[in-house]
Coordinates of all heavy atoms in Angstrom, one line a residue:
W1549 N 98.4 83.8 67.1 CA 97.4 84.8 67.6 C 97.0 85.8 66.5 O 95.8 86.2 66.4 CB 98.0 85.4 68.9 CG 97.3 86.8 69.2 CD1 96.1 86.8 70.0 CD2 97.6 88.1 68.9 NE1 95.7 88.1 70.1 CE2 96.6 88.9 69.4 CE3 98.7 88.7 68.2 CZ2 96.7 90.3 69.3 CZ3 98.7 90.0 68.0 CH2 97.7 90.9 68.6
K1550 N 98.0 86.3 65.8 CA 97.7 87.3 64.8 C 96.6 86.8 63.8 O 95.6 87.6 63.4 CB 98.9 87.7 64.0 CG 99.6 88.9 64.5 CD 100.7 89.4 63.5 CE 101.4 90.6 64.1 NZ 102.8 90.5 63.9
E1551 N 96.8 85.6 63.3 CA 95.8 85.1 62.3 C 94.4 84.9 62.9 O 93.4 85.4 62.3 CB 96.3 83.8 61.8 CG 97.5 83.8 60.9 CD 97.4 84.7 59.7 OE1 96.3 84.9 59.3 OE2 98.5 85.1 59.2
H1552 N 94.4 84.4 64.1 CA 93.1 84.1 64.8 C 92.4 85.4 65.1 O 91.2 85.6 64.8 CB 93.3 83.3 66.0 CG 93.6 81.9 65.8 ND1 93.4 80.9 66.8 CD2 94.1 81.3 64.8 CE1 93.8 79.7 66.2 NE2 94.3 79.9 65.0
R1553 N 93.2 86.4 65.6 CA 92.6 87.7 66.0 C 92.0 88.5 64.8 O 90.9 89.1 64.9 CB 93.7 88.6 66.8 CG 93.1 89.8 67.2 CD 92.8 90.0 68.7 NE 92.2 91.2 69.1 CZ 92.1 91.7 70.3 NH1 92.6 91.0 71.4 NH2 91.5 92.9 70.5
K1554 N 92.7 88.4 63.7 CA 92.3 89.1 62.5 C 91.0 88.5 62.0 O 90.1 89.3 61.6 CB 93.3 88.8 61.4 CG 93.4 89.9 60.3 CD 94.6 90.0 59.5 CE 95.0 88.7 58.8 NZ 96.2 88.6 58.2
M1555 N 90.8 87.2 62.1 CA 89.5 86.7 61.6 C 88.4 86.8 62.7 O 87.3 86.9 62.2 CB 89.8 85.1 61.3 CG 90.6 84.8 60.2 SD 90.1 85.7 58.7 CE 88.9 84.5 58.0
I1556 N 88.8 86.8 63.9 CA 87.6 86.9 65.0 C 87.2 88.4 65.2 O 86.1 88.6 65.5 CB 88.1 86.3 66.3 CG1 88.4 84.8 66.0 CG2 87.1 86.4 67.4 CD1 89.0 84.0 67.2
N1557 N 88.1 89.3 65.0 CA 87.8 90.8 65.2 C 86.4 91.1 64.6 O 85.7 91.8 65.3 CB 88.9 91.7 64.7 CG 89.9 92.1 65.8 OD1 89.5 92.1 67.0 ND2 91.0 92.6 65.4
P1558 N 86.1 90.8 63.3 CA 84.9 91.3 62.7 C 83.6 90.8 63.5 O 82.6 91.4 63.4 CB 84.9 90.7 61.3 CG 86.3 90.4 61.0 CD 87.0 90.1 62.4
S1559 N 83.9 89.8 64.3 CA 82.7 89.2 65.0 C 82.3 90.1 66.1 O 81.3 89.9 66.8 CB 83.0 87.9 65.6 OG 83.3 86.9 64.7
F1560 N 83.0 91.1 66.4 CA 82.8 92.0 67.5 C 82.6 93.5 67.1 O 82.7 94.4 67.8 CB 84.0 92.1 68.5 CG 84.0 90.7 69.3 CD1 84.7 89.6 68.8 CD2 83.4 90.6 70.5 CE1 84.8 88.4 69.5 CE2 83.5 89.4 71.3 CZ 84.1 88.4 70.7
N1561 N 82.1 93.6 65.8 CA 81.8 95.0 65.3 C 80.4 95.5 65.8 O 79.7 94.6 66.4 CB 81.8 95.1 63.7 CG 80.7 94.4 63.1 OD1 79.6 94.2 63.6 ND2 80.9 93.8 61.9
S1562 N 80.1 96.7 65.7 CA 78.9 97.3 66.4 C 77.7 96.7 66.0 O 76.8 96.5 66.9 CB 78.8 98.8 66.2 OG 80.0 99.3 66.1
K1563 N 77.6 96.3 64.7 CA 76.3 95.8 64.3 C 76.0 94.5 65.0 O 75.0 94.1 65.4 CB 76.4 95.6 62.7 CG 75.0 95.5 62.1 CD 75.1 95.6 60.6 CE 73.9 94.8 60.0 NZ 74.3 94.1 58.8
I1564 N 77.1 93.6 65.0 CA 77.0 92.3 65.6 C 76.7 92.5 67.1 O 75.9 91.8 67.8 CB 78.2 91.4 65.3 CG1 78.1 91.1 63.8 CG2 78.2 90.1 66.1 CD1 79.2 90.1 63.3
L1565 N 77.4 93.4 67.7 CA 77.3 93.7 69.1 C 75.8 94.0 69.4 O 75.4 93.5 70.5 CB 78.1 95.0 69.5 CG 78.8 94.8 70.8 CD1 79.8 93.7 70.9 CD2 79.5 96.2 71.0
N1566 N 75.2 94.8 68.6 CA 73.8 95.1 68.8 C 72.9 93.9 68.8 O 71.9 93.8 69.6 CB 73.2 96.1 67.8 CG 73.7 97.5 68.1 OD1 74.1 97.7 69.3 ND2 73.7 98.3 67.2
S1567 N 73.3 92.9 68.0 CA 72.4 91.6 68.0 C 72.7 90.8 69.2 O 71.8 90.1 69.7 CB 72.6 90.9 66.7 OG 73.9 90.5 66.5
Y1568 N 73.9 90.9 69.8 CA 74.1 90.2 71.1 C 73.2 90.9 72.2 O 72.7 90.1 73.1 CB 75.5 90.4 71.6 CG 76.6 89.5 70.8 CD1 77.6 90.1 70.1 CD2 76.5 88.1 70.9 CE1 78.6 89.3 69.5 CE2 77.5 87.4 70.2 CZ 78.6 88.0 69.6 OH 79.5 87.2 68.9
H1569 N 73.0 92.1 72.0 CA 72.2 92.8 73.0 C 70.9 92.2 73.3 O 70.6 92.0 74.4 CB 72.0 94.3 72.4 CG 71.5 95.2 73.4 ND1 72.1 96.5 73.6 CD2 70.5 95.2 74.3 CE1 71.3 97.1 74.5 NE2 70.4 96.3 74.9
D1570 N 70.2 91.9 72.2 CA 68.8 91.2 72.3 C 69.0 90.0 73.2 O 68.1 89.6 74.0 CB 68.3 90.9 71.0 CG 68.0 92.2 70.2 OD1 68.0 93.2 70.9 OD2 67.9 92.1 69.0
I1571 N 70.0 89.1 72.9 CA 70.2 87.8 73.6 C 70.2 88.2 75.1 O 69.6 87.6 75.9 CB 71.4 87.1 73.2 CG1 71.1 86.7 71.7 CG2 71.6 86.0 74.0 CD1 72.3 85.8 71.3

Side-chain angles (χ1 to χ4, degrees):
W1549 166 80
K1550 258 193 190 145
E1551 292 301 338
H1552 288 201
R1553 178 106 186 195
K1554 203 161 58 190
M1555 291 307 274
I1556 296 175
N1557 262 341
S1559 300
F1560 288 85
N1561 71 32
S1562 323
K1563 199 166 151 223
I1564 291 183
L1565 215 63
N1566 282 340
S1567 58
Y1568 284 122
H1569 190 132
D1570 295 342
I1571 292 186

